[in-house]
C-alpha cells in the first residue's frame, strides 16, 4: 500500500470515528450519570488527528495546488479530501451542528463549584470538543472555499487556542500520569506549530 492509500485510510477511519459527534453531543443532555468519558476522549483525539491530516493534505499532500501542477499528466491523482467515504462537506456540517449543541449545553449549565470537580471536568471536556470541532470545520473550509482561506485559517488558529485552554483545565482534573491527556496536548501543540507556519494564501489555487 502506498502513502496515498495510507493517508486515505487514515482520513476514512477518523471520519468514521467523528460520525458519532452529533449523537454524542445529544447524549450530553442526559442525566449526569451517563458515562460518556471514553467516547468523549475518542472524539477529542479523532478531531485533532483529522484536523492534522487535513492540514497535511492541504499544505503538502494530494490537495496542495502545486502538487497537481507538478504531476502534469498524472491528473488521475485526486485529493484525499474529495474521497466520498470521507464525505468532508457533510461531516463538517455535522461537526458544526454538534459544536453548536455543546456550546448551548455549556451555557445552560451553571458553573461547577469548587467541590464538584467531576462536573467541572465534564464542562471542560464539552468546551474542548466544541472548539476542536469548530477548528476542524474551519480547516475544511480552507479547502472547500479557497478564496477565503486566510479568514478560515485565522478562525482555525483561534479555535485551537480556545480548545487548548479547555483541555488544560480538563487535564488539571486528571492525574499527572495520565498519558492520554499529555499525548493529546502534545498533538495539539504540533498542530498549532503547523498552523503558525501556514501562509494565509497556501490553499489558494
Amino acid at each position: 500500500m502506498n502513502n496515498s492509500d495510507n493517508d486515505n485510510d487514515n482520513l476514512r477511519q477518523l471520519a468514521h470515528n467523528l460520525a458519532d459527534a452529533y449523537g454524542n453531543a445529544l447524549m450530553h443532555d442526559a442525566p449526569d450519570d451517563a458515562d460518556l468519558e471514553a467516547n468523549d476522549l475518542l472524539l477529542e483525539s479523532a478531531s485533532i488527528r483529522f484536523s492534522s491530516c487535513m492540514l497535511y493534505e492541504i499544505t503538502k499532500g494530494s490537495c496542495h495546488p502545486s502538487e497537481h501542477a507538478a504531476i502534469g499528466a498524472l491528473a488521475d491523482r485526486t485529493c484525499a479530501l474529495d474521497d466520498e467515504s470521507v464525505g468532508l462537506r457533510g461531516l463538517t456540517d455535522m461537526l458544526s451542528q454538534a459544536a453548536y449543541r455543546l456550546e448551548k449545553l455549556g451555557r445552560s449549565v451553571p458553573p461547577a463549584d469548587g467541590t464538584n470537580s467531576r462536573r467541572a471536568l465534564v464542562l471542560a471536556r464539552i468546551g474542548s470538543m466544541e472548539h476542536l470541532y469548530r477548528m476542524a470545520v474551519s480547516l475544511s473550509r480552507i479547502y472547500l472555499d479557497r478564496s477565503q482561506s486566510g479568514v478560515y485559517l485565522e478562525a482555525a488558529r483561534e479555535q485551537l487556542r480556545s480548545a487548548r485552554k479547555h483541555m488544560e483545565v480538563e487535564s488539571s482534573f486528571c492525574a499527572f500520569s495520565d498519558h492520554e491527556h499529555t499525548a493529546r496536548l502534545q498533538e495539539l501543540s504540533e498542530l498549532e506549530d503547523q498552523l503558525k507556519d501556514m501562509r494565509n494564501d497556501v490553499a489558494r489555487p
Side-chain angles (χ1 to χ4, degrees), residues 186-198:
Q186 178 60 35
E187 289 176 341
L188 200 65
S189 294
E190 291 169 1
L191 183 57
E192 186 173 24
D193 289 341
Q194 289 177 278
L195 284 172
K196 284 178 181 176
D197 293 339
M198 188 174 176

Side-chain angles (χ1 to χ4, degrees), residues 10-32:
N10 287 339
L11 281 166
R12 290 187 197 108
Q13 183 58 54
L14 291 167
H16 176 75
N17 292 343
L18 288 171
D20 187 40
Y22 188 72
N24 173 270
L26 292 177
M27 289 182 69
H28 274 284
D29 283 330
D32 283 345

Side-chain angles (χ1 to χ4, degrees), residues 41-107:
L41 296 178
L42 174 67
L43 288 165
E44 273 190 344
S45 182
S47 299
I48 296 169
R49 292 175 183 177
F50 188 72
S51 291
S52 182
C53 284
M54 279 197 293
L55 193 58
Y56 171 79
E57 294 300 339
I58 291 168
T59 58
K60 299 177 181 177
S62 60
C63 307
H64 191 269
S66 64
E67 183 70 18
H68 292 285
I71 58 178
L74 299 178
D76 59 331
R77 179 173 180 180
T78 58
C79 170
L81 298 179
D82 290 335
D83 192 313
E84 289 184 5
S85 62
V86 173
L88 183 63
R89 193 178 295 274
L91 176 64
T92 51
D93 284 348
M94 180 273 291
L95 289 177
S96 182
Q97 294 171 21
Y100 177 70
R101 290 284 307 195
L102 293 173
E103 179 187 23
K104 286 184 64 177
L105 182 61
R107 288 180 175 178

Side-chain angles (χ1 to χ4, degrees), residues 123-192:
L123 286 173
R125 189 173 295 138
I126 285 173
S128 72
M129 288 191 296
E130 173 202 337
H131 293 293
L132 289 172
Y133 294 164
R134 288 195 164 130
M135 176 179 67
V137 171
S138 296
L139 289 173
S140 76
R141 296 292 187 264
I142 291 175
Y143 173 66
L144 296 170
D145 184 8
R146 288 177 175 169
S147 65
Q148 298 295 316
S149 61
V151 173
Y152 292 120
L153 175 57
E154 186 52 45
R157 289 169 174 158
E158 182 178 343
Q159 294 300 326
L160 187 149
R161 288 191 290 267
S162 297
R164 171 178 288 283
K165 289 178 183 177
H166 285 282
M167 289 182 71
E168 288 174 345
V169 171
E170 180 185 349
S171 184
S172 72
F173 287 102
C174 300
F176 289 110
S177 61
D178 186 341
H179 297 299
E180 282 193 50
H181 282 280
T182 302
R184 278 195 300 282
L185 283 167
Q186 178 60 35
E187 289 176 341
L188 200 65
S189 294
E190 291 169 1
L191 183 57
E192 186 173 24

